[in-house]
Amino acid sequence: MNIWHDLQPDMVRKEEYMIFTADSMGSTAALSFDGATGLLCLDYLRDANFGTPNNTGFVPRTCTQEGMPIETILLCSQPLPSMTLVRCRPAGLVTLHLEDGGIRRYLLSAACADEFWGACLTVEEIPTANRKALVRFLRYDQQILGRPASSVEFEGLEQAERYFDACQQNYLVQYCGKLPQK
């Protein structure tokens, strides 16, 4: 089974969707998704004092311009093991503007089963301390990759849903033979 392609299509809607987790909250291992196998690969190990402040993951049946599933930052109170399926709602979008002119986007996903984060409806409801920790981590991670971020922008639910729609349409064109929407 390849989790990217084999999840039922009705489990991935912009209002509520399943993600599969990659990096666990507090982990110093940086895992990436291998599209061919549907498995996670160890990319590198971060400094022991700099674990990820959130669980991270990917949204099946979506395809970004880079040809990979949407990367997501999971708003959840507990660390979750890698390759766990989690039902989520969108809360916003984080856009990193890289010094080399590139852009990297992360969908902010609230875990529906989490009492605290499941009630988070918009990016504005994320506590400032959590946003600051996330920005520090994302800047650190991009620095390790040799693509420093010049700025980090939090965007609202409308932008997150537009991004989700575009990536879902791109998936349908790339992998399901659908014609692009005009």
Side-chain angles (χ1 to χ4, degrees), residues 4 35 62-69 170 174-175:
W4 189 15
T62 61
C63 185
T64 64
Q65 289 182 341
E66 293 77 26
M68 295 303 290
N170 193 33
Q174 294 292 322
Y175 296 102

Side-chain angles (χ1 to χ4, degrees), residues 24-27 54-55 76-81:
S24 183
M25 181 189 308
S27 174
N54 298 84
N55 297 293
C76 182
S77 300
Q78 299 294 321
L80 299 173

Side-chain angles (χ1 to χ4, degrees), residues 95-176:
T95 301
L96 278 68
H97 300 275
L98 307 177
E99 288 181 3
D100 65 8
I103 290 179
R104 190 158 181 194
R105 289 189 172 96
Y106 296 89
L107 185 65
L108 289 168
S109 299
C112 294
D114 188 296
E115 279 188 45
F116 178 77
W117 290 109
C120 178
L121 301 176
T122 67
V123 71
E124 292 82 16
E125 295 175 346
I126 299 172
T128 302
N130 293 77
R131 281 187 276 166
K132 285 182 178 181
L134 184 55
V135 167
R136 271 194 311 277
F137 172 76
L138 292 172
R139 285 182 177 276
Y140 167 80
D141 222 34
Q142 287 304 127
Q143 189 71 35
I144 287 176
L145 295 171
R147 296 188 72 200
S150 57
S151 67
V152 179
E153 178 182 7
F154 285 84
E155 300 177 81
L157 187 57
E158 186 176 317
Q159 292 90 339
E161 288 179 343
R162 275 200 309 263
Y163 179 64
F164 190 99
D165 281 341
C167 292
Q168 198 168 44
Q169 287 302 313
N170 193 33
Y171 180 86
L172 293 172
V173 169
Q174 294 292 322
Y175 296 102
C176 300

Side-chain angles (χ1 to χ4, degrees), residues 5 18 30-31 44 72 83 98-99 106 118 123 125-126 160 177 179:
H5 303 297
M18 298 296 278
L31 303 175
Y44 56 92
T72 186
M83 298 301 285
L98 307 177
E99 288 181 3
Y106 296 89
V123 71
E125 295 175 346
I126 299 172
L179 295 176

Side-chain angles (χ1 to χ4, degrees), residues 76-88:
C76 182
S77 300
Q78 299 294 321
L80 299 173
S82 297
M83 298 301 285
T84 300
L85 289 175
V86 181
R87 189 170 51 89
C88 297

